[in-house]
Amino acid sequence: MRTRSLELAVGAFLVISVAALFFLAIKVSGLSSELSQPSYKVYAHYQNIGGLTVRSKVTMSGVTIGRVAAIELDKKRLNAKVTLEIYNDVNEISTDSVASILTAGLLGEKYIGIVPGADDTFIKNGDEIEQTQSSLVLEDLIGKFLFNKATEDKGSNNAATTPAPAANSQDDF
Amino acid sequence: MPSNESPFVSIRQLSFSRGERVIFENINLDVARGKVTAIMGPSGCGKTTTLRFIGGQLLPDAGQVLVDSQNIPDMSRKELFVARAKMGMLFQSGALFSDLSVYENVAFPLRAHTQLPEYLIREIVLMKLEAVGLRGAVKLMPNELSGGMQRRAALARAIALDPELIMYDEPFAGQDPMVKGVLVTLIRTLREALGLTTIVVSHDVPETLHIADYVYIIANKGIIGQGTPEELRHSDSPFVQQFLNGSPDGPVRFHYPAASYRQDLGVDV
Amino acid sequence: MLEALRQLGASTLARLQAIGAAGIFLWQALIAVPQFKTSFILLIKQLHSVGVMSLPIILVSGLFIGLVLGLQGYNILVTYGSEQALGTMVALTLVRELGPVVTALLFAGRAGSALTAEIGLMKATEQLASMEMIGVDPLRRIIAPRFWAGFISMPLLAMIFSAVGIIGGMLVGVDWLGIYAGSFWANMQNSVEFYDDVINGVIKSVVFGITVTWIALFQGYDCVPTSEGISVATTRTVVYGSLAVLGLDFILTAVMFGGF
C-alpha cells in the first residue's frame, strides 16, 4: 500500500540523518577520541596562563595525551592552578617533566606541551607537576626586545647612560 | 408551527454580532421533526451562521440553541462530540478531505465515533455510497470527481452515522440543472426514507420552495417572513414578494446610496 | 501627525493581538492529547511530506554551498599561507551557522509555504469546518502532526546539510585543489568541538524548526479563506519565517558564541 513506501522513505530519512550526525560527531569534531577515555588528574601552577582555556589539549611530542579540565585562581599561592586530565594509558610521565603553555602556530590557540624528564618516579593521580613554563606574553617579548635593542645601541655608541626601561616581566624564564 | 410534536431544533432569543455589525437580534426559529425546513434570505444575511450555531461551531452572544432539547452553547466538549454524531452537514463546497479517498472520507465519521470492525465499516460505506449513487466511485480521490459527484460523496459522508438531523448549506449554488435535480431527489428521498429532520439553507427560490415544508426568510437582523411555501407565495409583505420573485427593486433598493444623479453629472451645482 | 501615531499604535496592537492568537493556537495544538496509533500514522505521513520531500533541495544546496565555501575559503586562506585551515573554516561555518540558518530558510520556502498553502486551502474549501462538525478536532488531527513533523525534521535536515556541505568542501579542497587530506581532517577535528559547535548548531535548528513550522501553520489556519488570502498567507510565511530565523540566529549566536 502507499503507506508502506511512505514508511520506507521516512525510515531512510531518519537513517540518513543519524548517519550525518555520526559523521559530524566523529569525522568532523573528533568526538570519539575524547569521549570517556579514562584519565587521571594532575595539577600545575602558572604565573600566566595566557589564552589557555578549559578543554585545551595536553600534548607530549605533539601527540594529544589529555585535556585541560579546569583553570582556577589559587588563592594561597596567588597564581593559576590548572587541572590536567591525562589518559590512563600515558602513565610514565616522570615527576621532573616540564609542562609549558605553548602556542599552536604563530597566533594560534594555546595548549600545554609536556617535555618528559629523567626521574624514575612517575606522577600519579592528584600529583603536581613542579616544573612549569608560563605562556609567553607578547607585550613582554616586545618590551624585552626593545630593552635589548636599546642596550645594544648604548653599548656601541659609548654614549652617556640612558636609564634602562623598566622590565616588567616577572616570568620565571 | 406545522407540527404537533416538539421541534427538533429550537432557537430562542438568539442575538449575535460580528464586531460592530449586528447579525441577529432576538430571533426565534423552530425546525420541525422529520420535515424539511428552509432558511432563505439575501446573501450575507446570516443563513450559514445559523447552521454554525446549531452545529456548535459558533457561540451566540445571547439566547438558546436547543437541539433535541439540549442547549448547544452550554455543552462541554464531550457532550458536543456526542451531539455532533446526531447531525450531518453538507457544506457548500462539499468539503471532502482532499488527501483521502472517497471510501476513507465516508468512513471518517465512523472511525471517529465508533469502534466498529473494518468489515462493518466497509458495509456501511458501501451502503451510503449506494444511496447517493456513487458506489462505483468508492476508490477514487476527491480531485477525480466532478463537482456534483463531490457533493454527493460529501452527502454520503454526512449520513454515515445515520444522523437525526441533516443540514444543507447552499446545496444548489452554482450547479447545473441535472445536478440540482439529483440533489433535490436525494434530499427528498432521504427525508422520506429515514425521517430525517432537514434544514436547507439556500437562496435558490424555485428548488427550495419545491422541497420545503416550512420556510424562514432572514434579513435585516431578523426573520422577515415565515410560513409554508404556499403561505409565502401569497404573503403581502413587499420584501417577501421582492425576494421570492427576484425583482431587482423593491424594499431592497437597486441603487447603492449616492448623491443625486443630476448633481454627479454636473447638471445641478 | 497624530493620525500617523494613532495608526502606528493601532497596527502595533494588531500585531500583538496576532501574536497572541498564534500563541493560543500553538498551545491548543500541542496540548491535544494524541491517540497513539492514529497520531503515529499521521506523523509518519507528515514526516514524509515535510522532511523527506525537502531532502532533494537540502542535499543539492548543501553540496553547492560546501563546494563554494571550499573554493572561496581556499582563495582567501591561501593568501595567508593557511590553506591547511580550510577544513576548519568550512566545518565551523557550516556547523555553527550556515547549516542551521540556510536549512531553515530553505525549509521556510519549501516546506513552510507548502504547509501554509495546504492548510489555507483546507480552510477555504471548508474541510477544517466539516472536520469540526464531524466532531474531530482539526487542531489535533491536521495541525499537531504537521507541527511535530517540522520540529523533528528541521534538525535532521540541518545536520544532513552540514555533513553534505563538509563533504563538498572536501571535494574542492582535497580532490581538486590538492590540500593534504590528513591535515584537512586533522585541523577540522581539532577545532570543531562536538558540544560547543555541533550541539549548539542542532539547538539552533530546533529553535528555527519550531519557529518556522509554527508561523507556517498559523498563517494557513488564520488566512482569509479565498485564493487571494491563501497567496498572501503563503508569502507571509516565507517572509516572516525568514526574518524570524535571521533575527533568532543573531540572538542565539550572541548567547552561544558571543558569551552573553
Side-chain angles (χ1 to χ4, degrees), chain B residues 161-187:
Chain B
L161 289 172
D162 285 324
E164 297 172 43
L165 168 69
I166 184 156
M167 299 180 269
Y168 296 88
D169 188 4
E170 306 270 7
F172 310 118
Q175 300 297 312
D176 69 52
M178 289 189 300
V179 177
K180 280 196 203 176
V182 168
L183 284 170
V184 165
T185 311
L186 280 175
I187 294 176

Side-chain angles (χ1 to χ4, degrees), chain C residues 115-192:
Chain C
L115 281 176
T116 306
E118 190 188 5
I119 307 239
L121 194 59
M122 283 189 173
K123 187 177 183 189
T125 51
E126 295 179 295
Q127 288 181 44
L128 296 181
S130 72
M131 191 177 282
E132 212 182 341
M133 262 312 286
I134 295 177
V136 173
D137 183 5
L139 283 179
R140 195 216 286 190
R141 193 177 180 98
I142 304 277
I143 303 286
R146 286 167 172 77
F147 178 78
W148 292 112
F151 175 79
I152 295 175
S153 301
M154 258 292 277
L156 300 182
L157 289 171
M159 288 195 287
I160 295 177
F161 185 93
S162 298
V164 172
I166 290 174
I167 294 179
M170 181 205 79
L171 286 175
V172 164
V174 175
D175 293 338
W176 181 8
L177 295 170
I179 299 177
Y180 176 53
S183 46
F184 182 87
W185 291 109
N187 282 334
M188 187 195 296
Q189 287 178 3
N190 284 336
S191 1
V192 177

Side-chain angles (χ1 to χ4, degrees), chain A residues 53-112:
Chain A
T53 58
V54 175
R55 317 210 44 214
S56 298
K57 283 186 304 212
V58 177
T59 68
M60 183 184 291
S61 306
V63 179
T64 304
I65 57 167
R67 289 263 155 186
V68 173
I71 301 177
E72 39 187 6
L73 183 67
D74 188 329
K75 299 210 173 79
K76 286 214 201 90
R77 290 160 65 163
L78 288 184
N79 54 16
K81 177 172 162 187
V82 177
T83 311
L84 287 74
E85 267 182 5
I86 303 190
Y87 301 145
N88 279 353
D89 47 3
V90 183
N91 51 8
E92 295 184 344
I93 305 178
S94 53
T95 42
D96 61 341
S97 306
V98 183
S100 326
I101 299 183
L102 304 168
T103 313
L106 189 56
L107 295 171
E109 53 182 48
K110 304 285 186 189
Y111 66 98
I112 293 185

Side-chain angles (χ1 to χ4, degrees), chain A residues 129-157:
Chain A
I129 299 186
E130 306 279 333
Q131 315 267 3
T132 60
Q133 179 160 315
S134 292
S135 167
L136 292 176
V137 179
L138 205 54
E139 294 85 356
D140 295 347
L141 270 182
I142 296 178
K144 261 209 165 29
F145 174 70
L146 291 176
F147 176 60
N148 288 337
K149 207 65 177 85
T151 328
E152 261 179 45
D153 291 345
K154 169 185 159 215
S156 60
N157 282 343

Side-chain angles (χ1 to χ4, degrees), chain B residues 183-220:
Chain B
L183 284 170
V184 165
T185 311
L186 280 175
I187 294 176
R188 236 205 240 123
T189 316
L190 286 174
R191 197 278 307 257
E192 282 162 12
L194 303 174
L196 280 178
T197 305
T198 308
I199 304 180
V200 177
V201 162
S202 178
H203 50 225
D204 200 312
V205 174
E207 264 74 16
T208 315
L209 290 185
H210 194 44
I211 56 166
D213 295 316
Y214 200 80
V215 179
Y216 288 91
I217 304 186
I218 295 185
N220 294 339

